C-alpha cells in the first residue's frame, strides 16, 4: 500500500509545473506547438472533406472511449496487419537460392558438357551382355545353346532354369493354354479394374487362395512387380519395416519406393531380429502409432535357405508387428505338396502355424508354376485394399488369360498329385550329395568353393571360398569374371549353369559373387550325376590354373 | 541405413520449442512430384469468400440463441471462427489424400500453403480475416474489458502461428526419458 502512495506522489510531482522562469526554449516550444496545432487543424479540415472520413472519425471517437491504452493496442495491431500486408513474398524452402546474372548463366551454359544419352557400359555390364546364352528352340531339361564365349553347344543339360517342376513342357498345361488362347485371345487389354479381369483370372485367384489356405488372393501381372508394389501399397513414410538383410531385389525396390523407416536384421539371426525389434519399439515409443511390418522371404533367392518362420511369427506377436512373407521361390518347391515354407514348418514340428498368422504372403507363378505373374494372398480386406491401392494392380494391364489358366491348371495338378514335388526333392538331395562328394573328391570343397544354400534347397548357390584368393581375384568384377569362366567351361562340356546375376546399382545390400544351379524334377539321375562330375572337374581345373 | 534416413528423428532437447528438421532430398522430391491438392485451393476466390460466409452464418446462429446478447454473440462468433481455423490450419498435419507416400505428414496446412512461402496473397488474406474480425468484435462488444481480453487472446491464438518466425516450430513437452531400452 505504501509503495502505491509513494509512486502516486512522485507522479504528481513530475506532472506539477516546475517553478523555473520562462526561457527562450519555452518560447520556441510554444511556437512549435502552435504550428503543429495549425497543421493538425488544417489536416482535420481537409480530412473532413475526404469521402468516408466521417465514418472513420465516428469509429475512432466511439472506439477511443477514454481508454488510450486499448486504443494504442488496437492501433498497433492494425499497423502490424498493414506491415504484414505490404511485406514482399519470400521462399522458406530454398533460403540459399543463388541469383545468377545473365553473364553467369552464359558462362555456365558454355561450360556445360552434356552427359551421353547412352552411358558407357561398365566392365560388369559388358561381361553380362557378352555371356548371355541363346537357346535355340524350346527350353527344357536338355537345350541347344549358343554363347558368344563358348560357341554352339548342341546338347547341354539345363541347370539354369527356374522351371523346377518341369511344367513348362507339360502337355496338359500346354493344351489348356492353347484352348484358352483360342477362346479368349492373347491379351487382357486393360488393368484388372478396367475390363482387364476375365473369369479365368477370378478363377485363378480363387485357386491360389485355396492353395494357400488364405481368405483371398490377388493376381499381379508381373512377378517382379509383386513385392515392389505390395510394399508401398501398405506402407508409407512414417511406417516401420524390419527386414532381413538378404531380401531379393524386388523387395528392396519396394522398400525404397515406399519411403518407410527401415531397419535391417542379420540374415536369419533371430536374436538379432529380437534385438532390432526391441530397439525400434523403444525408439518409436512416443511416435504416433503407425504400421509396423517384418519383411522377409520364404526361400531366399540370395542365400538359398529357409527363413525361421515359427520364430518370426512368435516375435511378431511378442513385439506387435505384422508379417509380409515373400514366398516367390518357395511355392511349389518347399513343403510336401509345394505349399511353401509354411507347410514345411507345419510338417516339421509346428502344426499350430497357419496362413492367418501371416498377414500378407506374396508369391510367383513364374517359377514353379511355369507360367507368369505374381500374387498376394491374405485376408479379404487386405486383398480388396490392393485392388485400388496397389500401383501394379491399378495401373498395369492384367496378365494374359492363358497364363492365368495355366497357373490354375498347375495348381490343380499339384493338388491332385505331388509326385513332381517329391521327385524334385529326391533330385535335389541326390544332386547335392553327389556334387558335394565330387567336389570333395576333387579337393576343392571348402578350399575353393563352398555351398551357400541349405542342403534341401533346389536353388543351389555356390560361392568362392574365403580361403581361395588368387592374385587376380581383386574385385567384385574379377570374381564375376572367374565364375563366368567356370560357367563357360561347364557349358563347353554340356552343362548349362549360370552366375547369380544382379545389377549392382539397383542393390542396397552387399553383393557376393555366386554360382547358381537350379535342379529340376524333369532331369534324370544320370543327367544329374554327369553334370555334378563336370562341374566338380571344371572347378578343379580353375583352381589349379 | 544410409539410403533412407529417418526424417522424423530429431535431436533431443530440453526446450519446449523445437524446429522441424529440414526436409530430406527424397521428401522434397516427393512433395514436388505433384501439386499439393490439400493447399492449392486456398488461392481460389471462392475459398476467400467462404470465410465471410462462415462468419455471417456463425453470427446469425448465435443471434438466434435466446438470451445471447449482441456482445456475447460477437465474441462467440470470433472464438468459434478462431478455433475452427486453428484446427484446420495449425493443428492437423499431413494431407487427407494419398499420392506422395506421406511427404507432408509433418507439416500443418499453413506450412503447406504456397510451398511454405511467406507473405503470399493467400496468407495475407488469411491473417487479415482474424484481425479484422477481432477489431469488429471489440467494437461491437463496446470495449467491455472481459470481452476484449477474450477476443484478444482468441485472435493471438491464430495470429502467432501464422507469423513467419513460427514456421515449422512446434511446442511440446521435452523428452527426458533414457535413450536406451531397458532390455537388450
Amino acid at each position: 500500500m505504501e509503495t502505491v502512495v509513494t509512486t502516486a506522489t512522485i507522479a504528481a510531482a513530475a506532472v506539477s509545473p516546475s517553478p523555473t522562469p520562462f526561457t527562450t526554449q519555452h518560447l520556441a516550444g510554444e511556437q512549435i506547438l502552435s504550428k503543429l496545432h495549425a497543421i493538425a487543424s488544417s489536416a482535420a479540415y481537409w480530412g473532413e472533406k475526404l469521402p468516408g472520413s466521417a465514418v472513420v472519425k465516428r469509429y475512432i471517437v466511439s472506439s477511443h472511449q477514454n481508454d488510450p491504452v486499448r486504443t494504442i493496442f488496437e492501433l498497433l495491431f492494425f499497423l502490424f496487419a498493414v506491415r504484414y500486408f505490404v511485406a514482399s513474398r519470400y521462399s522458406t524452402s530454398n533460403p540459399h537460392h543463388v541469383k545468377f546474372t545473365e553473364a553467369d548463366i552464359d558462362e555456365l551454359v558454355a561450360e556445360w558438357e552434356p552427359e551421353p544419352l547412352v552411358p558407357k557400359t561398365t566392365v560388369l555390364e559388358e561381361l553380362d551382355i557378352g555371356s548371355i546364352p541363346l537357346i535355340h528352340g524350346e527350353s527344357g531339361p536338355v537345350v541347344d545353346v549358343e554363347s558368344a564365349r563358348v560357341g554352339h553347344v548342341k546338347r547341354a543339360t539345363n541347370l539354369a532354369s527356374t522351371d523346377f517342376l518341369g511344367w513348362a513342357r507339360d502337355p496338359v498345361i500346354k493344351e489348356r493354354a492353347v484352348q484358352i488362347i483360342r477362346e479368349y485371345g492373347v491379351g487382357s487389354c486393360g488393368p484388372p479394374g478396367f475390363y482387364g479381369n476375365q473369369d479365368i483370372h477370378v478363377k485363378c485367384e480363387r485357386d491360389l487362395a485355396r492353395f494357400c489356405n488364405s481368405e483371398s488372393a490377388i493376381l499381379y501381372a508381373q512377378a517382379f512387380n509383386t513385392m515392389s508394389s505390395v510394399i508401398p501399397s501398405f506402407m508409407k513414410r512414417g511406417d516401420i519395416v524390419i527386414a532381413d538383410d538378404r531380401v531379393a531385389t524386388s523387395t528392396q525396390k519396394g522398400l525404397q519406393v515406399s519411403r518407410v523407416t527401415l531397419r535391417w536384421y542379420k540374415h536369419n539371426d533371430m536374436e538379432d531380429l529380437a534385438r532390432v525389434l526391441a530397439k525400434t519399439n523403444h525408439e518409436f515409443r512416443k511416435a504416433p502409432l503407425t504400421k509396423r511390418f517384418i519383411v522377409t522371404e520364404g526361400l531366399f533367392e540370395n542365400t538359398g535357405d529357409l527363413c525361421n518362420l515359427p520364430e518370426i511369427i512368435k516375435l511378431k506377436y511378442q513385439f506387435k508387428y505384422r508379417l509380409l512373407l515373400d514366398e516367390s521361390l518357395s511355392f511349389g518347391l518347399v513343403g510336401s505338396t509345394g505349399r511353401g515354407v509354411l507347410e514345411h514348418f507345419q510338417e516339421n514340428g509346428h502344426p499350430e502355424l497357419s496362413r492367418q498368422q501371416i498377414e500378407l504372403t506374396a508369391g510367383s507363378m513364374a517359377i514353379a508354376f511355369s507360367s507368369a505373374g505374381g500374387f498376394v494372398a491374405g485376408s479379404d480386406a487386405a486383398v480388396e485394399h490392393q485392388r485400388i491401392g496397389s500401383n501394379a494392380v491399378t495401373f498395369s494391364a492384367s496378365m494374359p488369360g492363358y497364363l492365368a489358366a495355366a497357373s490354375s491348371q498347375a495348381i490343380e495338378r499339384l493338388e491332385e498329385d505331388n509326385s513332381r514335388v517329391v521327385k524334385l526333392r529326391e533330385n535335389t538331395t541326390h544332386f547335392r550329395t553327389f556334387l558335394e562328394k565330387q567336389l570333395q573328391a576333387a579337393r576343392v570343397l571348402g578350399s575353393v568353393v563352398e555351398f551357400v544354400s541349405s542342403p534341401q534347397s533346389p536353388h543351389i548357390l555356390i560361392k568362392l571360398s574365403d580361403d581361395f584368393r588368387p592374385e587376380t581375384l581383386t574385385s567384385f568384377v574379377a570374381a564375376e569374371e572367374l565364375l563366368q569362366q567356370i560357367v563357360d567351361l561347364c557349358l563347353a562340356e554340356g552343362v548349362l549353369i549360370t552366375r547369380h546375376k544382379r545389377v549392382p546399382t539397383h542393390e542396397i545390400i552387399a553383393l557376393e559373387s555366386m554360382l547358381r544351379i537350379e535342379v529340376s524334377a524333369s532331369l534324370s539321375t544320370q543327367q544329374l550325376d554327369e553334370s555334378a562330375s563336370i562341374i566338380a572337374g571344371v572347378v578343379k581345373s580353375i583352381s589349379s590354373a | 541405413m544410409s539410403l533412407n534416413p529417418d526424417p522424423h528423428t530429431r535431436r533431443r532437447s530440453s526446450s519446449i520449442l523445437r524446429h522441424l528438421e529440414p526436409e530430406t532430398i527424397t521428401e522434397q522430391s516427393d512433395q514436388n512430384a505433384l501439386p499439393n491438392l490439400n493447399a492449392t485451393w486456398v488461392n481460389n476466390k471462392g475459398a476467400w469468400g467462404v470465410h465471410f460466409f462462415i462468419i455471417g452464418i456463425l453470427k446469425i446462429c448465435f443471434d438466434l440463441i435466446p438470451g445471447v446478447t449482441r456482445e456475447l454473440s460477437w465474441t462467440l462468433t470470433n472464438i468459434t471462427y478462431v478455433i475452427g481455423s486453428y484446427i484446420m490450419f495449425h493443428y492437423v498435419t499431413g494431407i487427407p489424400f494419398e499420392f506422395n507416400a506421406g511427404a507432408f505428414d509433418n507439416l500443418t496446412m499453413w506450412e503447406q500453403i504456397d510451398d511454405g512461402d511467406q507473405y503470399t496473397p493467400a496468407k495475407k488474406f488469411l491473417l487479415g480475416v482474424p484481425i479484422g474480425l477481432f477489431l469488429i468484435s471489440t467494437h461491437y462488444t463496446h470495449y467491455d474489458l472481459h470481452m476484449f481480453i477474450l477476443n484478444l487472446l482468441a485472435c493471438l491464438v491464430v495470429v502467432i502461428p501464422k507469423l513467419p518466425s513460427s514456421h515449422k516450430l512446434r511446442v511440446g513437452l521435452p523428452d527426458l526419458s533414457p535413450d536406451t531400452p531397458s532390455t537388450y
Side-chain angles (χ1 to χ4, degrees):
Chain A
M1 198 65 196
E2 204 181 320
T3 44
V4 175
V5 173
T6 332
T7 330
T9 332
I10 293 165
V15 171
S16 64
S18 61
T20 37
F22 284 129
T23 59
T24 44
Q25 280 177 342
H26 278 98
L27 281 171
E30 234 176 31
Q31 277 172 354
I32 290 164
L33 270 179
S34 65
K35 273 201 173 166
L36 275 177
H37 189 77
I39 291 166
S41 55
S42 67
Y45 173 76
W46 288 108
E48 274 169 20
K49 296 271 177 189
L50 280 172
S53 62
V55 177
V56 175
K57 191 182 171 192
R58 202 163 60 234
Y59 174 83
I60 291 170
V61 168
S62 76
S63 67
H64 180 58
Q65 298 202 345
N66 288 328
D67 192 350
V69 176
R70 209 209 56 250
T71 305
I72 287 168
F73 208 93
E74 281 191 12
L75 187 68
L76 286 175
F77 221 54
F78 177 74
L79 289 176
F80 160 75
V82 169
R83 193 211 154 267
Y84 192 92
F85 292 149
V86 297
S88 55
R89 177 178 183 149
Y90 73 86
S91 165
T92 52
S93 55
N94 200 354
H96 306 298
H97 184 74
V98 182
K99 276 197 175 158
F100 289 109
T101 61
E102 282 292 319
D104 291 338
I105 294 169
D106 287 344
E107 197 179 327
L108 284 170
V109 169
E111 277 174 15
W112 180 63
E113 274 183 39
E115 277 184 25
L117 277 178
V118 183
K120 273 187 79 175
T121 48
T122 62
V123 182
L124 184 64
E125 280 169 346
E126 271 171 23
L127 176 66
D128 281 342
I129 295 164
S131 62
I132 295 172
L134 176 69
I135 293 177
H136 292 282
E138 198 180 26
S139 176
V142 177
V143 284
D144 178 0
V145 196
E146 197 181 325
S147 159
R149 289 164 65 107
V150 180
H152 199 150
V153 180
K154 287 276 183 195
R155 284 181 64 81
T157 313
N158 190 355
L159 286 171
S161 162
T162 54
D163 180 20
F164 291 99
L165 299 178
W167 274 342
R169 284 152 52 99
D170 188 274
V172 181
I173 294 174
K174 249 189 199 171
E175 181 57 38
R176 173 83 176 138
V178 170
Q179 181 202 338
I180 294 294
I181 290 174
R182 295 205 191 288
E183 208 173 314
Y184 290 82
V186 286
S188 61
C189 307
F194 207 73
Y195 314 120
N197 254 6
Q198 294 158 328
D199 55 347
I200 30 180
H201 294 96
V202 179
K203 180 181 181 305
C204 185
E205 288 179 350
R206 286 190 191 148
D207 289 340
L208 283 164
R210 190 182 66 241
F211 184 71
C212 305
N213 296 322
S214 68
E215 277 183 31
S216 265
I218 181 167
L219 285 181
Y220 280 71
Q222 264 277 331
F224 187 87
N225 282 351
T226 312
M227 274 306 267
S228 47
S229 175
V230 72
I231 293 175
S233 91
F234 283 96
M235 298 158 227
K236 63 166 194 149
R237 191 176 265 105
D239 295 338
I240 296 162
V241 169
I242 315 290
D244 190 290
D245 67 357
R246 289 279 151 234
V247 288
T249 318
S250 61
T251 311
Q252 296 172 34
K253 288 285 122 189
L255 293 171
Q256 272 180 302
V257 169
S258 66
R259 314 294 200 207
V260 291
T261 303
L262 182 56
R263 299 282 183 272
W264 299 105
Y265 68 92
K266 282 188 208 126
H267 173 61
N268 263 354
D269 183 342
M270 291 302 115
E271 269 179 36
D272 194 50
L273 174 59
R275 185 189 63 82
V276 174
L277 287 168
K279 196 165 166 266
T280 312
N281 276 4
H282 181 85
E283 188 184 344
F284 292 96
R285 68 200 177 285
K286 294 217 172 127
L289 194 59
T290 50
K291 283 167 285 210
R292 294 176 182 195
F293 272 89
I294 298 173
V295 175
T296 186
E297 249 175 281
L299 175 58
F300 281 88
E301 195 190 328
N302 283 336
T303 56
D305 54 358
L306 294 181
C307 68
N308 189 345
L309 191 64
E311 192 64 21
I312 289 172
I313 289 182
K314 203 188 97 194
L315 287 172
K316 134 195 147 80
Y317 282 117
Q318 185 186 340
F319 289 98
K320 298 188 171 64
Y321 275 68
R322 292 188 175 99
L323 176 60
L324 168 54
L325 184 67
D326 179 10
E327 291 228 52
S328 293
L329 205 53
S330 49
F331 266 119
L333 272 63
V334 183
S336 65
T337 58
R339 284 181 164 82
V341 65
L342 179 70
E343 190 187 30
H344 170 83
F345 283 106
Q346 281 170 337
E347 289 165 350
N348 291 286
H350 293 281
E352 77 283 0
L353 299 181
S354 76
R355 188 63 72 188
Q356 277 61 47
Q357 293 170 323
I358 305 168
E359 278 73 16
L360 294 163
T361 310
S364 160
M365 284 99 73
I367 295 174
F369 298 162
S370 311
S371 170
F375 67 93
V376 174
S379 67
D380 286 336
V383 165
E384 281 310 308
H385 169 75
Q386 290 169 68
R387 292 205 188 280
I388 197 79
S390 185
N391 286 349
V393 176
T394 318
F395 299 110
S396 166
S398 54
M399 63 204 292
Y402 71 92
L403 290 171
S407 301
S408 285
Q409 190 75 36
I411 292 164
E412 279 164 25
R413 293 282 305 276
L414 208 52
E415 283 171 334
E416 282 166 16
D417 156 34
N418 68 342
S419 59
R420 291 274 185 144
V421 182
V422 174
K423 181 80 168 50
L424 176 65
R425 191 174 295 180
E426 283 169 11
N427 273 2
T428 304
T429 320
H430 177 82
F431 179 77
R432 173 70 186 251
T433 349
F434 194 75
L435 182 59
E436 266 185 45
K437 269 187 207 155
Q438 294 289 312
L439 289 170
Q440 255 160 5
R443 293 166 194 273
V444 285
L445 188 62
S447 58
V448 178
V449 288
E450 54 190 60
F451 285 98
V452 177
S453 56
S454 65
Q456 295 81 25
S457 165
H459 169 72
I460 297 172
L461 294 170
I462 297 174
K463 68 165 185 173
L464 292 171
S465 166
D466 292 336
D467 304 335
F468 179 64
R469 285 286 171 265
E471 302 217 329
T472 48
L473 201 63
T474 48
S475 63
F476 177 72
V477 180
E480 290 286 309
E481 174 64 42
L482 184 70
L483 291 179
Q484 186 58 45
Q485 282 174 27
I486 296 178
V487 170
D488 292 341
L489 289 169
C490 285
L491 182 58
E493 297 201 38
V495 177
L496 179 63
I497 58 171
T498 180
R499 283 181 290 128
H500 185 52
K501 288 181 189 172
R502 277 159 305 159
V503 184
T505 46
H506 284 284
E507 296 279 331
I508 54 175
I509 60 172
L511 293 174
E512 204 166 20
S513 300
M514 284 182 284
L515 281 178
R516 179 172 173 160
I517 303 169
E518 316 285 20
V519 181
S520 167
S522 47
L523 290 165
S524 68
T525 316
Q526 197 200 344
Q527 284 171 320
L528 291 171
D529 287 354
E530 281 171 13
S531 308
S533 310
I534 288 169
I535 294 167
V538 166
V539 172
K540 186 172 172 58
S541 70
I542 281 285
S543 65
S544 53
Chain B
M1 190 198 130
S2 59
L3 253 157
N4 197 350
D6 175 25
H8 311 299
T9 315
R10 295 169 199 110
R11 268 173 284 116
R12 299 165 79 72
S13 154
S14 54
S15 166
I16 58 162
L17 290 180
R18 61 191 164 73
H19 278 279
L20 292 186
E21 296 279 311
E23 274 102 358
T24 57
I25 300 274
T26 48
E27 270 182 309
Q28 283 176 15
S29 64
D30 284 355
Q31 286 178 355
N32 298 328
L34 287 166
N36 182 0
L37 300 178
N38 187 39
T40 44
W41 61 268
V42 294
N43 287 308
N44 297 348
K45 287 210 169 54
W48 290 26
V50 82
H51 285 264
F52 301 114
F53 179 76
I54 289 170
I55 291 167
I57 293 283
L58 284 174
K59 179 72 175 69
I60 291 167
C61 287
F62 285 123
D63 280 341
L64 289 175
I65 301 171
V68 173
T69 59
R70 200 166 77 155
E71 287 81 1
L72 189 60
S73 155
W74 269 111
T75 309
L76 285 175
T77 305
N78 186 23
I79 290 173
T80 317
Y81 171 81
V82 158
I83 291 174
S85 80
Y86 182 85
I87 292 172
M88 183 166 170
F89 289 110
H90 306 295
Y91 181 74
V92 178
T93 55
I95 54 177
F97 326 106
E98 178 48 62
F99 55 77
N100 48 20
F104 290 102
D105 276 3
N106 286 342
L107 297 182
T108 63
M109 187 168 157
W110 183 260
E111 288 154 355
Q112 294 172 32
I113 292 173
D114 298 320
D115 300 324
D117 289 3
Q118 298 297 341
Y119 300 123
T120 60
K123 287 194 169 178
K124 286 174 179 174
F125 171 77
L126 290 169
L127 182 108
V129 172
I131 289 181
L133 186 60
F134 161 72
L135 292 175
I136 293 170
S137 306
T138 50
H139 184 79
Y140 283 110
T141 51
H142 302 295
Y143 308 98
D144 173 68
L145 186 63
H146 298 104
M147 296 287 182
F148 176 78
I149 290 170
L150 266 181
N151 282 318
L152 179 67
L153 288 177
C155 186
L156 289 178
V157 162
V158 280
V159 167
I160 291 171
K162 287 184 168 62
L163 298 178
S165 52
S166 310
H167 191 66
K168 292 189 183 173
L169 194 70
R170 295 286 180 275
V171 183
L173 291 174
D175 181 9
L176 300 172
S177 56
D179 205 10
T180 44
S182 49
T183 52
Y184 295 101

